[in-house]
Every structure is written in C-alpha cells, then in structure tokens.
Amino acid sequence: MENNLFTTYVLYSEKFNKHYTGSTSDFQKRLLSHQELGNKDWTTKYRPWKVIFTKEFTNKSDAMKLEKWLKTGVGRDFIKQLPH
C-alpha cells in the first residue's frame, strides 16, 4: 500500500551553517539521497545534514506551497528560529 503523504522538510548542515528546504513524496528515500547517495546535487557539498523540520501533507500542492513559503524572506526567518 502506498503512503500517499508528501513531506516538506528543512535540513541543516552544522559544519557549514547551511539550510536546505525541499518537499518529497518519499522522505526517507530523499533524506538518504541527501546524506549518502547523491553525488552531483548541491546538498552533497554540505554533508552531513540534520533534519530540523518536517510537516506532512495529504496532497502535493500543500507541501509545495509550504516549501515555497519557507523560501521567502519570512520563511527563512522562521527557519532561523528553529532549534538546530
């Protein structure tokens, strides 16, 4: 049976003081890609990542709306307030 949940998430690299915001339909697989598998995307340079925020949705549209908001000035301010 499929999960059918979409997750918006924020990762934090303590080593480089960087944040990464994304959304996906398979959070565990995507996190593994950020941490270990991917070798050509932006996130590989800033490993290891720590998950500092997740929110699940039942539809992709809502997950993407939150991701878009988190990438605005107000959203980035929200992220800075999250415990690292």
Side-chain angles (χ1 to χ4, degrees):
M1 186 170 156
E2 265 188 65
N3 185 341
N4 291 332
L5 289 176
F6 298 88
T7 305
T8 300
Y9 60 93
V10 178
L11 307 178
Y12 177 67
S13 168
E14 290 179 336
K15 187 175 180 181
F16 297 96
N17 192 31
K18 295 275 186 191
H19 292 95
Y20 179 83
T21 302
S23 57
T24 182
S25 60
D26 189 338
F27 179 64
Q28 293 305 318
K29 184 177 178 183
R30 187 70 179 120
L31 182 59
L32 182 64
S33 176
H34 288 309
Q35 295 285 38
E36 298 175 21
L37 300 179
N39 61 9
K40 294 187 185 208
D41 60 9
W42 181 85
T43 59
T44 59
K45 295 183 279 194
Y46 301 106
R47 290 175 180 160
W49 292 99
K50 182 165 111 177
V51 179
I52 62 168
F53 176 84
T54 61
K55 184 163 182 178
E56 291 183 335
F57 297 90
T58 55
N59 65 69
K60 185 177 183 177
S61 175
D62 288 343
M64 293 184 78
K65 283 179 193 172
L66 178 58
E67 178 184 356
K68 186 174 181 179
W69 180 81
L70 288 168
K71 291 177 177 180
T72 67
V74 176
R76 285 192 301 271
D77 289 343
F78 169 79
I79 289 169
K80 288 176 186 172
Q81 302 304 313
L82 294 171
H84 293 82

